[in-house]
Amino acid sequence: MSKPSLLFWKLFLAFWLATTLTFLVGVGVLELGRFRPGDPHVQTILAAQERLLQQFGVEAAGQLLSVWEHPPDEAIGVYDSAGQLLAGLPVAQPVYERAVISKDGRTLSIRSTHAPDERGRPWPHTPLLIGTLMSALFSGYMAYYLAWPLAYLRRAMSDAAQGRFETRVKPAMGKRRDEIVDLAEDCDRMANQLKVLVQAQQHLLHDISHELRSPLTRLRAAIGLLRQDATRLEMLERIERESERMDTLIEALLTLARLQGRPESIEREPVDIVELLAMIVEDAQFEAGIKGCRVQLQACPPFIAYASGELLYRCFENVIRNAVRYTRPGTTVRVSAQISEDASRLRVQITDQGPGIEDCRLQSIFQPFERGVGDTSVGFGLGLAIAARAVHMHGGNIAARNEAGGGLTVEIDLHSARSLHDITLA
């Protein structure tokens, strides 16, 4: 077992000190209230003596003192002006003395060995109140001591999750020295390493894509020259198809690399998502007609979002074309758009009538180069990956599920953000 850390000792000593001080202060207040010289019981007797002497005389005052069960160290006596004891017990060294005019007009004095306390006894819940207040102060301090650095850490993790790796936590900790500062330093180191890795990946994709473009351009030029020889047309057509396929792959890689950058690097403008869907469905009808199926749109009122129209177009186009590719001939691909009750979110569902996919692959199909069994000759496995990146960049969600009657549904959830700040917070 490792030895206790610095943060452990801070917490232990702080709570131990709070508990100890609460107990000691509470006990101290009780003891002071018990042994202080003032006694409200003596105060009651002295007040009664004064009233009896004024209204009934010395005899009534003496009867009260004769039946009073006084403590051994307490004594009250009534004296005349000559110092003669008239009632009660003798008081050699009075702590309290008060002159009173009796009923018969004589000036008498009431003497006591204890002084009355005009304030009375302390409130019985005072120790509890003091303990509660001190515990609240210490707890508040400890909560602040622990909460504010964790809030910085949470903000840094959120920034890193959104691709902003420049946020640093350790400088905000000041001169603090404990395990939380070590955690902040590790967090900063992690963010910097993630930044390096992401930039390296983006540069790699970008460099590969551009390096592939150069031989592809020369290949197309060579195809143009070879077309002059009619005996090689079949071979040239195959080469041309493969070059177009390579060009499509490069374009998809460039788009994917761009989507893996910062959200703020994408230009945004107000876009009507429903109108965008209508355009895509209209274009997809041609491809669906060749296969013998159709695409149906169940639209809703216009939904304006602050977004990149180009990226969302690619997103919905990839998903809808993917659905058309896998749906059975003679069936319908349903595209539905629904606005939430508060008009802040739009839910788009694309459902095909195909074979669906394995449940274990419902998440992995949104990863790059992920294709189904037997699909190696169709596409590159980048369409759904691009769609997922585009949706996440706009603060939305995308998910897939198999339908009970067969087929696959891809659900896309977007919000009507009006600014980049709203997108960041989404």
Side-chain angles (χ1 to χ4, degrees):
M1 182 177 179
S2 60
K3 69 176 184 177
S5 63
L6 181 61
L7 184 60
F8 166 83
W9 285 115
K10 285 185 177 181
L11 294 175
F12 173 79
L13 292 176
F15 284 112
W16 179 54
L17 179 63
T19 305
T20 303
L21 286 179
T22 300
F23 174 78
L24 292 178
V25 171
V27 171
V29 171
L30 287 176
E31 293 300 317
L32 289 175
R34 179 181 301 175
F35 293 107
R36 64 186 180 180
D39 191 344
H41 186 55
V42 174
Q43 178 182 353
T44 304
I45 298 297
L46 291 174
Q49 283 290 306
E50 184 176 350
R51 288 195 298 272
L52 288 173
L53 289 173
Q54 292 173 346
Q55 298 178 10
F56 301 101
V58 177
E59 183 178 355
Q63 291 178 359
L64 173 62
L65 292 176
S66 64
V67 299
W68 174 45
E69 296 180 359
H70 59 86
D73 60 340
E74 291 185 5
I76 297 177
V78 180
Y79 291 83
D80 59 12
S81 58
Q84 179 83 25
L85 179 64
L86 301 179
L89 299 175
V91 181
Q93 297 180 347
V95 175
Y96 172 83
E97 183 174 0
R98 183 179 179 86
V100 179
I101 304 298
S102 66
K103 181 181 179 181
D104 53 7
R106 290 188 298 171
T107 300
L108 306 178
S109 63
I110 303 175
R111 300 177 185 179
S112 173
T113 56
H114 287 76
D117 185 7
E118 300 296 336
R119 297 170 298 176
R121 284 194 180 274
W123 187 43
H125 299 297
T126 299
L128 178 61
L129 178 62
I130 294 176
T132 303
L133 180 60
M134 294 186 65
S135 298
L137 291 176
F138 273 96
S139 299
Y141 171 75
M142 292 306 300
Y144 176 78
Y145 185 78
L146 293 174
W148 73 263
L150 295 180
Y152 276 106
L153 286 170
R154 179 180 178 276
R155 190 180 308 166
M157 293 294 100
S158 176
D159 290 343
Q162 297 178 8
R164 296 191 294 270
F165 303 112
E166 293 81 7
T167 304
R168 295 295 179 264
V169 185
K170 187 177 179 181
M173 299 295 174
K175 297 182 179 180
R176 179 176 178 145
R177 294 293 180 270
D178 53 29
E179 282 69 22
I180 293 182
V181 178
D182 296 337
L183 179 61
E185 186 175 1
D186 292 339
C187 176
D188 294 344
R189 190 181 301 112
M190 178 195 68
N192 186 66
Q193 187 66 17
L194 285 174
K195 180 180 179 181
V196 172
L197 292 175
V198 170
Q199 288 180 346
Q201 182 189 33
Q202 293 175 358
H203 290 160
L204 178 63
L205 287 174
H206 188 270
D207 293 343
I208 290 176
S209 301
H210 280 281
E211 288 297 328
L212 288 174
R213 276 281 169 85
S214 297
L216 183 61
T217 302
R218 292 191 292 269
L219 180 60
R220 286 183 170 177
I223 291 173
L225 295 175
L226 289 174
R227 278 188 178 277
Q228 300 175 8
D229 189 348
T231 60
R232 301 179 181 179
L233 288 179
E234 183 178 353
M235 181 70 68
L236 289 175
E237 290 177 357
R238 182 175 182 84
I239 294 174
E240 189 172 16
R241 285 197 304 270
E242 293 301 323
S243 65
E244 290 177 354
R245 178 179 171 85
M246 185 179 295
D247 186 56
T248 304
L249 172 61
I250 292 172
E251 184 66 27
L253 286 173
L254 287 173
T255 301
L256 187 63
R258 188 161 56 116
L259 287 173
Q260 289 177 338
R262 301 180 181 178
E264 58 267 24
S265 64
I266 304 300
E267 295 183 359
R268 292 175 171 85
E269 59 184 0
V271 178
D272 186 353
I273 306 298
V274 178
E275 182 181 356
L276 196 69
L277 283 172
M279 295 171 53
I280 298 172
V281 168
E282 184 179 354
D283 293 339
Q285 287 282 12
F286 177 77
E287 183 177 346
I290 297 176
K291 188 176 180 179
C293 58
R294 63 195 186 100
V295 183
Q296 180 181 358
L297 173 63
Q298 298 177 354
C300 61
F303 184 85
I304 308 300
Y306 191 75
S308 169
E310 176 191 354
L311 293 182
L312 288 184
Y313 187 94
R314 284 178 174 268
C315 165
F316 290 118
E317 183 186 37
N318 287 339
V319 177
I320 293 175
R321 291 187 63 185
N322 197 68
V324 171
R325 178 184 303 164
Y326 289 103
T327 195
R328 296 188 300 272
T331 60
T332 300
V333 174
R334 297 190 305 273
V335 180
S336 64
Q338 296 179 348
I339 301 178
S340 61
E341 294 182 358
D342 58 357
S344 64
R345 305 195 73 86
L346 176 70
R347 178 172 296 176
V348 180
Q349 294 182 339
I350 299 98
T351 304
D352 61 42
Q353 304 295 321
I357 60 174
E358 300 87 348
D359 291 338
C360 61
R361 297 182 58 239
L362 289 175
Q363 297 293 332
S364 62
I365 60 174
F366 298 105
Q367 299 299 322
F369 302 105
E370 180 69 20
R371 291 184 291 186
V373 179
D375 293 343
T376 55
S377 61
V378 181
F380 306 101
L382 293 176
L384 291 180
I386 292 174
R389 297 294 193 279
V391 170
H392 293 157
M393 181 168 289
H394 288 86
N397 299 308
I398 185 170
R401 67 173 184 272
N402 287 310
E403 295 295 333
L408 180 72
T409 294
V410 176
E411 184 175 293
I412 299 173
D413 189 49
L414 295 171
H415 64 88
S416 59
R418 297 298 181 182
S419 65
L420 181 60
H421 178 70
D422 296 334
I423 293 172
T424 303
L425 296 179

